[in-house]
Amino acid sequence: PAAARVQDERYTIQGERYQGQQYSHIYYTRLHHMRTLLHALVPSRKPHLPVTTVLGLEKGKDCVLVGTLYKHMKLKPSILDEYSKERSAIPLVKPHNFMHSDDNLILEDESGRVALAGAIPPAAYVTGVVVALHGKETSAGNFLVEDVMEAGLPPQSVLPCINEDKYVVFVSGLSVGSSTFNPLQFQLLIDHITGHLGDENEQTIASKIVRVVVAGNSVHIAPRFLNGQTVAAKDQPRIAEPIKELDIMLTQLVASLPVDIMPGCNDPANFSLPQQPLHRCLFSGASTYNTFSSCPNPHQFDLDNVKCIGTSGQNIHDLYRYSDAKDRLEFMERTLKWRHLAPTAPNSLGCYPYTDKDPFLVETCPHVYFAGNQDKYETRLLKGTEKQQVRLISIPRFCESGIAVMLNLRNLECSTLSFSTSFDA
């Protein structure tokens, strides 16, 4: 098997104590950390320009500003609107995306804030991203942007030389217990991974699978049981049933190879990021094996020195709601170039109110970056200016697509395992 090293300490909440603190600390920490990086870029990119603060702006004078973006969006949901809608008789349709042509960006640092105009498209950015901007203050009091400088991909360790094929299987959105879950489809996947299915060639490949990563939304519990009310005794087995079924399936897998399971937004875990590992007591069968690992979301690990990091997809879904890109991989690319896994947290994505750190900052560039529970399978190799190479993987929901993704650690190439159980002629 591959030598594995889990690096999830930064996502586990242990010594933290919530004492009613506000979220401003996270933004302050993020700005402080990113400012140091961005300041270091300015001499090589804009050598003749002074770096100033919002308060130190002078009209018509070219300079560089570093700060956190805030995106003013007229369609962004507000809790007060939610309340007034609840009181109204007409139900309102919720949009999937809150973009509007009138959205505008504001840059904020400790000294103040200034509205932005010019060469910075609001559609590509979200609240919480830290950037350096070259431009000047106009007579109207706006900052006219000429150029945007992002931190770019972080430094990356050299991709190790692995002489043999070693595969990692990624699967997400199993949704055991939902109406779309097909037990036969999942059983076929398990039989394939454990080498009980397929011809000689497929079994040879299966024997080289070194790990399975289950990226979120593994069970589906009917929402009516999760409304905070006490669950009636007759309904309790219906909550436990999907988890028991998942445990039986996972036990077959962990009997033959290591499995990492991450929580997703539908799983019985805390809602806000970083989601803490699913409790081992949920998996009475699988957790008796030392090959079973319950991991947080995000999840970061090394396999034979190939660095992998990924989420169950909430960070990418939230970017889709509040910004625009040609595909999900472009959102993933942006998070790496902004050096932040979840820039919209805590503004529109729930996260823990840290006081002295921001665990979502990306300080070293991974070789593999995955996001679970996406609409379809997509992948591409992202290349950086300093020879970085990152394999981006958008993992589709298995219950709808029947697709799991195989990654070869030797060359970072991806392929799919597809299980269709429809017997239509």
Side-chain angles (χ1 to χ4, degrees):
R5 207 170 82 235
V6 175
Q7 297 171 309
D8 281 333
E9 307 80 43
R10 63 188 301 157
Y11 305 123
T12 48
I13 297 169
Q14 282 168 334
E16 308 281 343
R17 290 202 42 212
Y18 178 64
Q19 295 171 319
Q21 65 265 33
Q22 297 294 309
Y23 282 101
S24 56
H25 297 286
I26 289 191
Y27 284 124
Y28 179 77
T29 308
R30 191 183 303 178
L31 178 58
H32 186 74
H33 175 89
M34 293 301 298
R35 179 190 281 139
T36 314
L37 293 171
L38 291 162
H39 273 201
L41 287 179
V42 175
S44 59
R45 299 271 293 274
K46 306 282 174 184
H48 316 300
L49 294 176
V51 181
T52 183
T53 61
V54 170
L55 200 61
L57 282 175
E58 294 175 40
K59 278 192 183 59
K61 195 172 170 188
D62 271 53
C63 64
V64 172
L65 275 184
V66 178
T68 309
L69 292 175
Y70 172 75
K71 185 158 154 183
H72 182 72
M73 304 180 74
K74 62 191 295 182
L75 296 181
K76 185 186 168 203
S78 135
I79 191 70
L80 296 172
D81 294 345
E82 296 286 321
Y83 179 75
S84 57
K85 283 171 197 169
E86 273 176 26
R87 319 289 292 178
S88 78
I90 311 151
L92 280 101
V93 180
K94 278 192 175 172
H96 292 296
N97 183 292
F98 303 113
M99 305 272 297
H100 191 277
S101 54
D102 290 349
D103 294 346
N104 59 301
L105 293 169
I106 292 160
L107 188 81
E108 191 171 301
D109 64 13
E110 292 97 334
S111 73
R113 52 197 321 198
V114 62
L116 304 177
I120 181 163
Y125 291 92
V126 289
T127 296
V129 179
V130 180
V131 289
L133 302 177
H134 163 210
K136 52 176 175 277
E137 190 182 13
T138 64
S139 53
N142 292 342
F143 188 73
L144 187 65
V145 178
E146 283 182 39
D147 193 14
V148 182
M149 287 173 279
E150 295 172 354
L153 294 183
Q156 186 182 49
S157 59
V158 179
L159 189 66
C161 284
I162 299 172
N163 303 323
E164 52 182 324
D165 290 338
K166 289 186 180 184
Y167 296 97
V168 182
V169 173
F170 294 96
V171 63
S172 75
L174 296 169
S175 291
V176 177
S178 72
S179 57
T180 49
F181 173 67
N182 181 336
L184 174 58
Q185 210 169 29
F186 189 20
Q187 190 61 53
L188 286 173
L189 172 68
I190 291 169
D191 289 346
H192 185 91
I193 291 171
T194 53
H196 292 97
L197 194 72
D199 58 23
E200 197 176 331
N201 179 41
E202 286 175 317
Q203 287 185 331
T204 306
I205 291 173
S207 71
K208 294 174 180 171
I209 295 172
V210 294
R211 201 169 205 84
V212 176
V213 177
V214 183
N217 291 359
S218 302
V219 294
H220 177 86
I221 296 165
R224 69 176 187 279
F225 297 134
L226 303 174
N227 58 7
Q229 307 291 314
T230 308
V231 179
K234 68 178 191 328
D235 288 329
Q236 283 171 6
R238 296 176 68 177
I239 295 179
E241 211 49 58
I243 299 167
K244 277 185 185 158
E245 193 174 344
L246 175 67
D247 181 41
I248 290 165
M249 301 288 220
L250 287 177
T251 306
Q252 295 178 54
L253 274 177
V254 295
S256 61
L257 80 170
V259 175
D260 292 354
I261 185 165
M262 300 159 59
C265 58
N266 297 341
D267 289 318
N270 62 308
F271 173 75
S272 58
L273 294 182
Q275 286 184 290
Q276 298 307 286
L278 293 163
H279 202 289
R280 292 177 73 85
C281 72
L282 297 170
F283 307 101
S284 55
S287 64
T288 59
Y289 289 81
N290 62 4
T291 44
F292 173 79
S293 301
S294 187
C295 306
N297 167 36
H299 177 32
Q300 188 170 329
F301 55 98
D302 281 10
L303 287 175
D304 280 0
N305 293 323
V306 176
K307 290 187 181 303
C308 306
I309 190 168
T311 70
S312 296
Q314 294 99 315
N315 58 334
I316 304 304
H317 291 310
D318 208 55
L319 285 176
Y320 167 72
R321 281 198 194 94
Y322 292 97
S323 61
D324 199 19
K326 65 176 184 293
D327 57 21
R328 298 297 169 104
L329 296 177
E330 192 177 343
F331 289 127
M332 293 174 71
E333 193 177 313
R334 283 178 195 167
T335 59
L336 288 180
K337 288 183 173 170
W338 294 334
R339 298 204 192 183
H340 202 279
L341 284 180
T344 54
N347 179 50
S348 53
L349 187 62
C351 87
Y352 185 84
Y354 289 95
T355 50
D356 54 351
K357 64 174 183 177
D358 183 344
F360 307 113
L361 289 162
V362 185
E363 285 156 28
T364 53
C365 191
H367 299 113
V368 178
Y369 176 30
F370 62 91
N373 298 294
Q374 301 303 310
D375 294 340
K376 60 175 188 276
Y377 163 68
E378 292 174 306
T379 182
R380 110 169 133 243
L381 197 64
L382 169 64
K383 298 191 173 177
T385 50
E386 291 164 30
K387 298 201 168 110
Q388 300 103 321
Q389 289 202 5
V390 190
R391 169 58 67 186
L392 304 176
I393 311 171
S394 153
I395 310 164
R397 290 182 283 273
F398 185 80
C399 65
E400 293 164 17
S401 64
I403 290 174
V405 181
M406 274 181 78
L407 168 84
N408 191 343
L409 293 175
R410 181 172 64 82
N411 53 13
L412 298 189
E413 283 182 3
C414 270
S415 54
T416 57
L417 293 173
S418 187
F419 299 92
S420 171
T421 53
S422 57
F423 299 107
D424 306 336

